[in-house]
């Protein structure tokens, strides 16, 4: 198969990841925006960069696009380093948060812009433009100018414009954040469908956790210029590697505690509570200070020796299948618990005794937030 | 084996990288070299001459001492200051109410009155001055009429006359700048104040006015600079040596019949530049201290008035504008009147034009050629540099931004004298050529054009250029396919104003022209200054007509432009 001159490259590309980012750093003056990013994206994969505002998602995306030059590390696509390749020679499609539709060109001409630069003309140009517009359901608006279009329509033009050039890699920077909630959900399904159909390798940026979960093959969680965890959405949710990811994805209750020797094993002592025995103790040492993260759905009602934590119910809200309790912990602080709606749930001002669902206790080192158990 | 740490990039390496990866760096470097030669060098030469004693030839402040010891020189400084202050106050008194009324209310014939206001910017300031002489001069129409009923009117010659003529020529600046700011004050702010139970007058006074103060200060600065830099008006209404101001003083010192006093001319120029600079700094301080921007809420649109009030307002505004435009009408009508001696007769004739065309020589064609060349250069360089300074942030962009603005503050006469001093020998011998006039036109209007184009660039989404790059279009091509079309409407609008000022330029070209390179404004000026009154009116009318014709062309050219979603104009 690899008989072309650049056979070595395409052979490498076929086996290795489609996009490999290794040790990428970028600084603005004194500010380190990217601190050594390592990320592989497989061919046809949709990888999402997820992280709080200012963590460097846009910077990473723009560096991949070639608008910013990396200070260190490298980016390769199909096994070929592209650090020195000018942005207009990279053949990446990009969809912008601000749409960036050329205001002086009609919808049709916007979509044709990149094709013309590639020397496509005549019948082929028209048919490819119309095909791209059809795929975003905009054939009817081909002659319109952008100022007479809604945000959702503009973003579809942006999508068609980026897809029509058959990009090697599709880059999207919060493409949906200027749209209203309903349209956002609709569009993200369309994007995902189209991306899968065409098998375009995609790097997608968002700070919306739900969007990231819904659309991605894998999610790369970023914080302060570094990647925290790269994994499939379920893995990120169920198995966060550190306190930041746990907190950022889904949110949870945090409790401070200490590891103590309990009988023949180890136990966890939370302030104001009787210690509970820990089933898995690898990597723990007695006396260690820890933080316990519990998602709201990781509790059960439990009395007697199974009770791990208790609190006074402040508010009880019925949410359908589940009922949410807001509790005040004896040692101070409040936490939320979701329990299956059933008769006999504690009412407001009562004390609720709760146990932890097995396998859901996530412990992190108090000092650096590293995952312990 | 250990890996060496990647070396930190030094300044030189970074600059080299910028040059290699960004072709604009070359453009910027070329502009820098150009500005060094055509802005910095002439001014530096004047500065050098000002500190070399006219008498002793020694380095020192001797010339400045001479300047301040002479009553005549001091009077020029005082006059400049007086005329500019008085003129600015007058221009504000006319321009502010107009701006307010236009920004807040709708009334009949509003668009036409607006056109009339802009018309008073059409002619060079000295044409206005000349019209005032035609009306209120020694044998002016109004003066004669007054005399016939035994009324002796105060003289139009002197500082007060100069201030009045200047104010009527420059109030449209106040109108434009302040109206723009007023319509950007968000309606919600005023409504909030009104809802707190304040009377409309109090709201305007306490809320609206402070919000537009920066605009008022800016417009006042523009008028003030315009007046102290103007050469033609004080030359005509000050009768040359009788009521000197700094600009006319510098000019006459430079071209003095009894041996040119270049040292004192340079000193006067430097004092004039100093005055202008001081003002810019004061204005900057006043305007930035309370920069209050729009809060982003809906901007205010004018409200319709009850019919009767609207008509009264229209009539009032129209009367004011009519008076302001009176000089224009007087000049145009006079040009078709018979002249006996220095007095116009109530009889129509084309004699003035016959004579004017007879003595025209190359003046009209020179003007058209120089102004067109300069305008073309201004558009190209202004667009490119406006783009550069607003899209690049390095030290090069900052230096350029600063250098380009210098000619904005430096009066034309000063720049003209500087050019005459520097380019009168090798390596650049330009004195007396057509090139030096086109060059000074170009350099003087470049700041304006650059500002106009950079303010457009700021409004264009940066991502558009990235999108173009991303779609595979190289940067140079992308600039022409994306930025140029988007900038075009604004650049054209700026170019039309630049044309008016370039075509009517007098204060620098009057220093630099020779018989062969005389321009139309110079011809008009010469006839206005004690020449043939009829011919002067004819030349002035020609200036007005050519300017208006060119403006119409620009408007037609820009009408076809699409301005999709840019929110311009
Ligand atoms: N040109 C620049 N000069 C200096 N600092 C910059 C520049 N661009 C970005 N930064 C800084 O780098 C950091 C990362 O910015 P970036 O735009 O990549 O964040 P982001 O993750 O995309 O955030 P958001 O979700 O708000 O878009 C920010 O702290 C920002 O202030
Ligand atoms: Mg961003």
């Amino acid at each position: 198969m690899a008989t072309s001159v650049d056979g070595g490259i395409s052979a490498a590309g076929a086996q290795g990841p489609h996009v490999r980012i290794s040790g990428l750093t970028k600084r603005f003056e004194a500010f380190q925006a990217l601190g050594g990013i390592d990320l592989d994206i497989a061919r046809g994969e949709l990888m999402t960069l997820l992280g709080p505002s200012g963590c460097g998602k846009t910077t990473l995306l723009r560096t991949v696009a070639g608008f910013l030059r990396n200070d260190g590390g490298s980016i390769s696509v199909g096994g070929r380093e592209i650090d020195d390749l000018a942005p207009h020679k990279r053949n990446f499609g990009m969809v912008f948060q601000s749409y960036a539709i050329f205001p002086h060109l009609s919808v049709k001409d916007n979509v044709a812009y990149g094709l013309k630069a590639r020397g496509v003309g005549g019948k082929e140009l028209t048919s490819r433009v119309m095909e791209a517009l059809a795929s975003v359901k905009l054939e009817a608006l081909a002659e319109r100018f952008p100022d007479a279009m809604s945000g959702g329509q503009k973003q579809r033009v942006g999508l068609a414009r980026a897809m029509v050039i058959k990009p090697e890699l599709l880059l999207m920077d919060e493409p949906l954040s200027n749209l209203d909630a309903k349209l956002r959900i609709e569009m993200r399904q369309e994007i995902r469908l189209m991306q899968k159909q065409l098998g375009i390798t995609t790097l997608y940026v968002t700070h919306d956790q739900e969007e990231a979960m819904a659309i991605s093959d894998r999610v790369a969680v970023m914080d302060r210029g570094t990647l925290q965890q790269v994994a499939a959405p379920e893995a990120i949710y169920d198995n966060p590697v550190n306190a930041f990811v746990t907190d950022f994805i889904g949110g949870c209750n945090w409790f401070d505690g200490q590891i103590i020797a309990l009988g023949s094993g180890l136990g966890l002592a939370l302030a104001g509570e009787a210690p509970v025995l820990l089933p898995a103790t690898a990597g723990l040492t007695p006396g260690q200070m820890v933080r316990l993260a519990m998602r709201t759905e990781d509790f059960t009602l439990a009395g007697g020796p199974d009770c791990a934590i208790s609190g006074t119910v402040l508010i009880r809200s019925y949410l359908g299948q589940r009922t949410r309790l807001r509790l005040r912990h004896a040692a101070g602080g409040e936490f939320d618990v979701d329990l299956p709606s059933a008769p006999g749930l504690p009412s407001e001002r009562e004390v609720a005794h709760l146990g932890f669902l097995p396998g859901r206790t996530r412990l992190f080192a108090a000092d650096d937030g590293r995952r312990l158990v | 084996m250990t890996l060496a740490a990647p070396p930190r990039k030094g300044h030189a390496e970074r600059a080299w990288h910028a040059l290699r990866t960004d072709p604009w760096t070359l453009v910027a470097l070329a502009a820098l070299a150009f500005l060094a030669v055509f802005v910095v060098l002439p001014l530096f030469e004047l500065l050098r001459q000002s500190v070399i004693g006219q008498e002793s030839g020694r380095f020192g402040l001797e010339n400045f001492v001479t300047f301040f010891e002479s009553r005549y020189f001091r009077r020029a400084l005082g006059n400049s200051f007086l005329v500019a202050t008085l003129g600015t106050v007058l221009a504000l008194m006319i321009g502010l109410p107009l701006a307010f009324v236009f920004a807040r209310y709708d009334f009949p014939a509003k668009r036409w009155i607006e056109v009339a206001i802009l018309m008073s910017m059409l002619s060079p300031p000295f044409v206005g001055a000349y019209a005032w002489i035609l009306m209120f001069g020694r044998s002016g129409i109004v003066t004669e009429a007054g005399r016939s009923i035994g009324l002796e009117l105060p003289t139009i010659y002197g500082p007060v006359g100069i201030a009045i003529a200047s104010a009527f020529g420059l109030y449209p600046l106040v109108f434009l700048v302040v109206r723009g700011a007023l319509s950007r004050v968000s309606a919600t702010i005023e409504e909030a104040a009104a809802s707190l139970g304040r009377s409309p007058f109090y709201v305007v006074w306490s809320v609206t006015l402070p919000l537009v103060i920066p605009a008022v200060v800016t417009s006042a600065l523009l008028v003030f600079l315009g007046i102290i830099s103007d050469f033609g008006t004080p030359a005509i209404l000050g009768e040359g040596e009788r009521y000197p101001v700094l600009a006319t003083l510098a000019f006459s010192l430079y071209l003095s019949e009894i041996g040119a006093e270049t040292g004192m001319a340079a000193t006067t120029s430097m004092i004039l530049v100093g005055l202008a600079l001081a003002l810019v700094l004061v204005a900057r301080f006043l305007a930035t201290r309370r920069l209050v921007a729009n809060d982003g809420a809906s901007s205010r649109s004018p409200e319709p008035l009850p019919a009767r009030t609207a008509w009264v307002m229209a009539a009032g505004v129209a009367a004011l504008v009519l008076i302001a435009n009176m000089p224009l009408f007087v000049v145009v009508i006079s040009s078709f009147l018979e002249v006996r001696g220095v007095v116009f007769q109530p009889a129509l004739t084309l004699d003035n034009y016959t004579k004017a065309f007879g003595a025209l020589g190359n003046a009209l064609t020179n003007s058209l050629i120089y102004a067109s060349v300069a305008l073309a250069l201004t558009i190209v360089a202004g667009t490119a540099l406006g783009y550069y300074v607003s899209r690049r942030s390095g030290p090069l962009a900052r230096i350029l931004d600063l250098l380009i603005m210098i000619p904005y503050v430096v009066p034309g006469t000063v720049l003209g004298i500087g050019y005459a001093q520097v380019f009168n020998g090798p390596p650049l011998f330009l004195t007396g050529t057509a090139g030096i006039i086109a060059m000074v036109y170009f350099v003087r209007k470049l700041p304006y054009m650059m500002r106009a184009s950079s303010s457009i660039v700021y409004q264009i989404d940066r991502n558009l250029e990235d999108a173009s790059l991303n779609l595979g279009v190289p940067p140079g091509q992308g600039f022409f396919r994306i930025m140029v079309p988007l900038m075009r409407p604004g650049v054209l609008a700026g170019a039309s104003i630049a044309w008016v000022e370039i075509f009517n330029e007098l204060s620098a070209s009057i220093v630099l022209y020779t018989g062969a390179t005389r321009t139309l404004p110079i011809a008009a000026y010469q006839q206005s200054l004690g020449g043939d009154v009829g011919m002067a009116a004819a030349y002035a009318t020609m200036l007005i007509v050519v300017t208006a014709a060119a403006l119409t062309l620009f408007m037609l050219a820009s009408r076809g432009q699409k301005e999709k979603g840019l929110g311009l104009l």
Side-chain angles (χ1 to χ4, degrees):
Chain A
M1 194 169 118
T3 49
S4 59
V5 218
D6 57 352
I9 289 169
S10 47
Q15 296 151 9
H18 189 187
V19 178
R20 162 158 283 174
I21 298 169
S22 51
L24 199 73
T25 57
K26 173 75 194 169
R27 52 168 60 243
F28 297 111
E29 314 282 306
F31 179 75
Q32 185 83 40
L34 297 178
I37 301 281
D38 294 299
L39 184 64
D40 286 351
I41 309 174
R43 194 169 288 277
E45 185 178 32
L46 194 154
M47 171 72 78
T48 297
L49 294 175
L50 175 65
S53 184
C55 71
K57 307 180 294 289
T58 299
T59 305
L60 177 53
L61 200 75
R62 291 175 58 82
T63 310
V64 174
F67 302 142
L68 295 174
R69 199 187 152 80
N70 45 324
D71 300 327
S74 75
I75 305 169
S76 22
V77 174
R80 176 174 164 223
E81 271 199 17
I82 58 162
D83 303 283
D84 290 323
L85 200 61
H88 63 278
K89 294 186 182 144
R90 294 192 180 191
N91 193 32
F92 295 168
M94 180 142 175
V95 179
F96 296 83
Q97 180 177 3
S98 65
Y99 317 132
I101 304 301
F102 305 127
H104 60 303
L105 300 179
S106 67
V107 167
K108 199 183 67 197
D109 290 338
N110 260 285
V111 178
Y113 190 87
L115 286 177
K116 285 184 188 156
R118 286 164 175 72
V120 179
K123 281 226 174 64
E124 192 195 344
L125 181 71
T126 322
S127 71
R128 279 179 69 178
V129 167
M130 290 321 284
E131 193 184 319
L133 285 176
S135 70
V136 294
K137 303 186 206 106
L138 279 182
E139 311 100 301
L141 302 186
E143 304 295 335
R144 278 262 184 105
F145 276 88
D147 60 347
M149 301 181 78
S150 71
Q153 289 169 335
K154 280 188 208 168
Q155 201 52 293
R156 286 197 169 89
V157 177
L159 199 59
R161 189 178 67 178
M163 295 281 208
V164 78
I165 59 171
K166 303 206 169 112
E168 172 105 43
L169 176 65
L170 185 62
L171 305 171
M172 302 202 206
D173 191 357
E174 309 203 20
L176 308 181
S177 62
N178 284 341
L179 307 179
D180 67 50
K182 186 159 167 283
L183 198 56
R184 215 152 44 213
I185 294 177
E186 217 177 286
M187 282 281 293
R188 82 182 182 212
Q189 283 161 350
E190 283 178 34
I191 289 176
R192 177 56 162 164
L193 215 66
M194 195 185 306
Q195 183 268 339
K196 267 194 165 161
Q197 265 170 14
L198 301 176
I200 298 183
T201 312
T202 302
L203 187 55
Y204 187 103
V205 164
T206 181
H207 63 249
D208 180 338
Q209 186 231 134
E210 188 196 314
E211 188 175 305
M213 295 293 178
I215 202 173
S216 320
D217 290 311
R218 282 192 301 157
V219 177
V221 183
M222 268 182 96
D223 182 36
R224 280 172 289 169
T226 54
L227 288 182
Q228 304 295 314
Q229 183 171 10
V230 183
E234 309 80 49
I236 294 261
Y237 189 84
D238 291 335
N239 237 332
V241 293
N242 61 24
F244 173 82
V245 178
T246 315
D247 198 42
F248 191 73
I249 308 292
C252 55
N253 302 296
W254 290 98
F255 304 96
D256 292 326
Q258 192 175 17
I259 303 297
I260 52 164
L262 196 66
S264 56
L266 291 177
L268 170 68
L270 298 178
E273 302 288 346
V276 284
L277 194 67
L278 290 170
T281 56
L284 297 177
T285 47
Q288 195 173 12
M289 301 306 292
V290 294
R291 299 182 71 202
L292 170 69
M294 296 297 298
R295 296 207 194 276
T296 55
E297 67 269 23
D298 292 344
F299 295 88
T300 53
L301 279 177
D306 290 336
C307 170
I309 190 163
S310 48
T312 315
V313 180
L314 298 174
I315 303 168
R316 191 174 97 169
S317 354
Y318 174 70
L319 302 173
Q321 288 195 340
R322 297 182 158 269
T323 294
R324 166 160 295 197
L325 303 179
R326 161 144 283 218
L327 302 124
R328 180 190 300 284
H329 190 217
E334 294 174 7
F335 62 103
D336 291 321
V337 169
D338 286 336
L339 294 170
S341 298
L345 288 182
S347 12
E348 288 175 7
R349 286 193 298 279
E350 276 180 15
V351 173
H353 300 282
L354 301 164
F356 300 143
L357 280 177
R360 300 289 178 81
T361 46
R362 300 187 182 88
L363 288 176
F364 299 89
D367 45 5
D368 57 5
R370 134 189 70 93
R371 178 83 188 260
L372 297 170
V373 177
Chain B
M1 198 180 93
T2 53
L3 279 174
R8 283 274 292 145
K9 283 179 188 163
H11 276 293
E13 196 182 331
R14 227 179 261 188
W16 171 239
H17 179 77
L19 196 61
R20 220 161 36 91
T21 53
D22 185 6
W24 280 98
T25 314
L26 260 178
V27 175
L29 286 175
L32 200 64
F34 176 85
L35 291 172
V37 175
F38 287 97
V39 174
V40 178
L41 194 61
L43 289 174
F44 186 77
E45 174 63 16
L46 287 184
L47 181 64
R48 193 185 66 81
Q49 292 190 5
S50 73
V51 292
I52 300 219
Q54 170 97 23
E55 305 292 326
S56 66
R58 275 199 303 272
F59 177 81
L61 291 180
E62 180 191 318
N63 292 342
F64 289 88
V65 173
T66 312
F67 185 96
F68 285 103
E69 274 177 353
S70 150
R71 262 197 67 193
Y72 183 71
F73 287 174
R74 278 207 313 270
R75 203 150 66 88
L77 176 59
N79 278 344
S80 268
F81 199 76
L82 173 70
V83 163
T85 309
L86 197 61
T88 305
V89 170
L90 276 174
L92 287 175
M93 279 166 58
I94 308 170
L96 287 183
L98 278 180
F100 188 81
V101 166
F102 266 77
R104 286 290 178 269
Y105 304 108
D106 268 333
F107 46 84
K110 193 172 168 183
R111 282 218 67 88
W112 290 108
I113 300 176
E114 185 177 346
V115 170
I117 293 178
L118 300 182
M119 253 169 58
S120 30
M121 296 208 302
L122 273 189
S123 54
F126 73 89
V127 168
Y130 181 59
W132 285 89
I133 289 184
L134 290 181
M135 291 187 287
F136 296 96
R138 286 201 189 81
S139 40
I141 310 162
V142 183
T143 318
E144 294 288 349
R147 214 168 274 152
S148 66
I149 56 166
L151 194 71
E152 198 60 38
L153 291 168
T155 176
I156 190 73
Y157 301 96
V160 177
I162 300 173
I164 294 178
S166 304
F168 275 106
L170 291 169
Y171 81 93
L173 274 179
V174 178
F175 170 77
L176 286 176
V177 173
V178 176
R179 184 188 55 169
L182 271 173
S183 54
R184 281 193 300 272
V185 170
S186 95
T188 41
I189 297 184
E190 288 189 2
E191 279 159 12
S195 72
L196 296 171
R198 294 306 197 171
S199 73
F201 178 77
Y202 186 85
V203 169
V204 167
W205 178 254
S206 65
V207 177
T208 316
L209 207 60
L211 285 176
V212 296
I213 285 276
V216 174
V217 171
T218 303
S219 70
L221 171 72
L222 290 176
V223 172
F224 197 101
L225 283 179
I227 298 179
I228 58 168
S229 314
D230 189 12
F231 169 80
T233 308
I236 289 175
L237 282 171
E239 302 197 290
E241 322 274 298
R242 260 184 77 200
Y243 301 101
V245 295
L246 290 175
T248 53
L249 177 65
F251 177 75
S252 57
L253 282 169
Y254 179 68
L255 286 181
S256 172
E257 281 152 23
I258 347 142
E261 301 180 66
T262 49
M264 285 314 293
T267 305
T268 309
S269 297
M270 282 300 114
I271 290 173
L272 183 48
V273 170
L275 186 60
L277 265 183
L279 221 91
V280 170
L281 293 181
V282 169
R284 196 164 243 208
F285 174 73
L286 284 179
T288 50
R289 255 196 336 163
R290 33 183 135 184
L291 237 178
V292 193
N294 191 339
D295 60 0
S298 68
S299 64
R300 173 112 192 201
S301 53
E303 46 189 86
L305 288 170
R308 186 187 287 261
T309 326
W311 278 105
V312 171
M313 190 167 277
V317 169
L320 185 61
V321 173
L322 202 68
I323 294 175
N325 276 317
M326 199 53 99
L328 218 60
F329 301 129
V330 170
V331 166
V332 174
I333 294 169
S334 313
S335 73
F336 294 102
L337 295 182
E338 216 177 286
V339 180
R340 210 167 291 153
V342 291
V343 183
F344 287 100
Q345 306 297 317
L348 291 178
T349 173
L350 285 176
D351 279 0
N352 297 327
Y353 286 94
T354 319
K355 278 196 281 178
F357 274 107
L360 186 61
N362 297 330
L364 179 60
T365 41
N366 280 350
S367 267
L368 285 173
I369 294 170
Y370 305 164
S372 305
V373 169
L375 185 71
L377 288 173
T378 310
I379 290 176
V380 173
T383 307
L385 295 177
Y387 172 81
Y388 186 82
V389 300
S390 48
R391 280 291 197 255
R392 299 291 186 278
S393 56
L396 197 52
R398 284 195 294 272
I399 295 173
L400 270 181
D401 198 16
L402 194 75
L403 279 186
I404 292 178
M405 290 320 282
I406 294 177
Y408 196 69
V409 179
V410 173
T413 315
V414 173
L415 205 60
I417 295 175
Y419 273 36
Q421 298 279 335
V422 170
F423 303 121
N424 63 351
L428 262 179
F429 192 82
L430 293 175
T431 306
T433 63
I436 199 170
I437 295 186
M439 192 61 83
V440 86
Y441 283 176
F442 166 53
V443 168
R444 289 200 67 197
K445 275 307 135 213
L446 188 57
Y448 173 80
M449 203 62 220
M450 191 204 74
R451 276 282 170 266
S453 83
S454 72
S455 70
I456 303 160
V457 174
Y458 279 123
Q459 295 176 52
I460 299 175
D461 183 359
R462 277 168 181 272
N463 287 330
L464 290 181
E465 286 171 83
D466 288 345
S468 167
L469 267 184
N470 190 254
L471 291 166
V473 177
Q477 238 184 74
F479 177 76
F480 286 104
R481 306 245 304 255
I482 303 298
M483 293 309 283
V484 168
L486 291 175
M487 290 169 74
R488 194 178 294 139
V491 166
L492 270 181
S496 59
I497 296 192
W499 167 265
V500 173
E501 301 192 357
I502 289 178
F503 185 73
N504 292 313
E505 209 282 342
L506 176 72
S507 48
S509 43
I510 190 83
V511 183
L512 296 169
Y513 86 100
T514 62
T517 59
R518 198 173 66 133
T519 63
L520 191 55
I522 293 174
Y525 167 75
Q526 286 170 334
Q527 292 302 335
S528 321
L529 200 70
D532 181 307
V533 289
M535 279 166 76
Y539 284 140
T541 305
M542 284 160 68
L543 279 176
I544 295 167
V545 168
V546 175
T547 309
L551 275 187
T552 315
L553 275 181
F554 273 117
M555 266 159 74
L556 290 180
S558 50
R559 182 168 297 170
Q561 299 295 322
K562 289 209 181 74
E563 300 172 35
K564 295 293 169 194
L566 264 183
L568 291 173
L569 292 175

